[in-house]
Amino acid sequence: MRGKFIVIEGIDGCGKTTQVDTIYDWLPNSGLMDINSKLIKTREPGGTPFGKKLRDIILLNDQKSPPSNLTELLLYAADRAEHISKIITPELNKNNWVISDRFTGSTMAYQGYGRNLNRKIIKQLELIVCQGEKPDITFFLDISPEESILRRKNRVPDRIEAEGINFLKNVNLGFKEIAKEKNWEIISASQDVESISNHIKTKLINSCL
Ligand code: Z5A
């Protein structure tokens, strides 16, 4: 028996963390999981102790010495390699379920469409890093870049958030294309929190994971 791997994706501020928390509270008593299975809540970057250090480096908004785009891609890949080998695969193999705030779709959207790095190379890197591990289901929370920026207006932006609207528009376009290509469940994230949660719960119940 192997657990299930659920991922929530979308641009900054789309409400991923809010939904991961809601589903984390609901899923163990939903009847979907085996009685002895645990649910692991995690995220990228920073889902492991080593990954937390990488997260600090990646997101530090130090305008004097930002990493190159390729360095940034490799740092996200390193974080994911650690995450898969230390958390995701071992937990799934124990028949536990894993819900992650972001996964490979974020790399394709941010580094592929946002930074315009070669998408074939990103796919090759994904093959090396993931070693066959992939989500059972991915939800894409779709909001406009304008709404995303509005939702984050009262906080200090990290290095990626500081990129501005044109970058975010490209990332969002990327997410939309990937969502179609990979048959992700697309949800309008402009709805209220409860409507979005209900959509996710209904899809999980009906998808016979
Ligand atoms: N990144 C990358 O470039 N490449 C990669 O491979 C990976 C990541 C994995 C860190 O991600 C950064 O790394 C991120 C992508 C990049 N870049 N940025 N920026 P992160 O996931 O840690 O950071 P984030 O996406 O910026 O998270 P966030 O701002 O916390 O957004 P969120 O989790 O999607 O949203 P939230 O925290 O649940 O909600 C944001 C606000 O909106 C909050 O005030 C909520 O109360 C509110 N909210 C939530 N839902 C709603 C609804 N439905 N209506 C109204 N208001 C709402």
Side-chain angles (χ1 to χ4, degrees):
M1 290 291 279
R2 204 162 192 266
K4 302 295 177 190
F5 182 22
I6 301 163
V7 170
I8 304 196
E9 294 273 19
I11 57 173
D12 345 338
C14 66
K16 293 173 284 76
T17 312
T18 304
Q19 294 303 328
V20 165
D21 288 347
T22 306
I23 298 304
Y24 180 73
D25 290 340
W26 167 79
L27 199 47
N29 297 315
S30 66
L32 293 175
M33 295 171 57
D34 289 345
I35 290 175
N36 294 323
S37 297
K38 287 188 212 139
L39 177 61
I40 312 302
K41 179 171 73 169
T42 186
R43 68 171 177 178
E44 290 191 357
T48 60
F50 189 76
K52 284 195 179 81
K53 296 179 195 168
L54 288 175
R55 181 184 171 93
D56 290 344
I57 296 171
I58 297 171
L59 296 180
L60 180 70
N61 198 355
D62 173 8
Q63 287 165 359
K64 283 191 202 131
S65 56
S68 75
N69 290 344
L70 181 59
T71 305
E72 180 182 281
L73 170 69
L74 295 172
L75 287 170
Y76 279 113
D79 171 73
R80 182 163 305 125
E82 187 74 3
H83 194 204
I84 290 174
S85 67
K86 299 273 178 66
I87 303 281
I88 297 173
T89 299
E91 293 297 344
L92 293 173
N93 285 344
K94 282 189 263 177
N95 197 23
N96 292 330
W97 288 38
V98 176
I99 182 163
S100 182
D101 187 334
R102 299 193 181 281
F103 193 57
T104 52
S106 285
T107 307
M108 187 53 87
Y110 282 86
Q111 280 64 53
Y113 288 78
R115 299 288 191 216
N116 215 12
L117 287 172
N118 186 309
R119 291 180 210 152
K120 281 191 189 144
I121 291 178
I122 294 178
K123 280 189 180 161
Q124 284 170 359
L125 192 57
E126 188 177 317
L127 284 177
I128 296 167
V129 168
C130 292
Q131 299 189 30
E133 201 62 86
K134 58 178 199 291
D136 291 284
I137 189 163
T138 299
F139 295 92
F140 168 47
L141 303 190
D142 186 14
I143 56 164
S144 66
E146 289 80 4
E147 200 171 341
S148 148
I149 287 171
L150 210 63
R151 281 191 191 172
R152 295 182 281 110
K153 70 175 187 298
N154 292 328
R155 70 181 200 212
V156 180
D158 64 37
R159 192 175 58 81
I160 308 277
E161 286 168 344
E163 287 294 335
I165 185 111
N166 286 336
F167 175 79
L168 208 52
K169 280 183 177 167
N170 290 335
V171 174
N172 201 35
L173 180 77
F175 268 127
K176 284 176 191 284
E177 288 191 11
I178 302 160
K180 266 194 230 143
E181 181 194 317
K182 300 212 166 183
N183 206 19
W184 290 352
E185 184 70 7
I186 302 171
I187 304 175
S188 165
S190 309
Q191 306 172 79
D192 60 87
V193 170
E194 199 182 345
S195 300
I196 299 168
S197 309
N198 286 340
H199 186 142
I200 296 174
K201 290 174 189 174
T202 305
K203 179 68 188 175
L204 288 172
I205 289 165
N206 293 332
S207 61
C208 307
L209 284 178

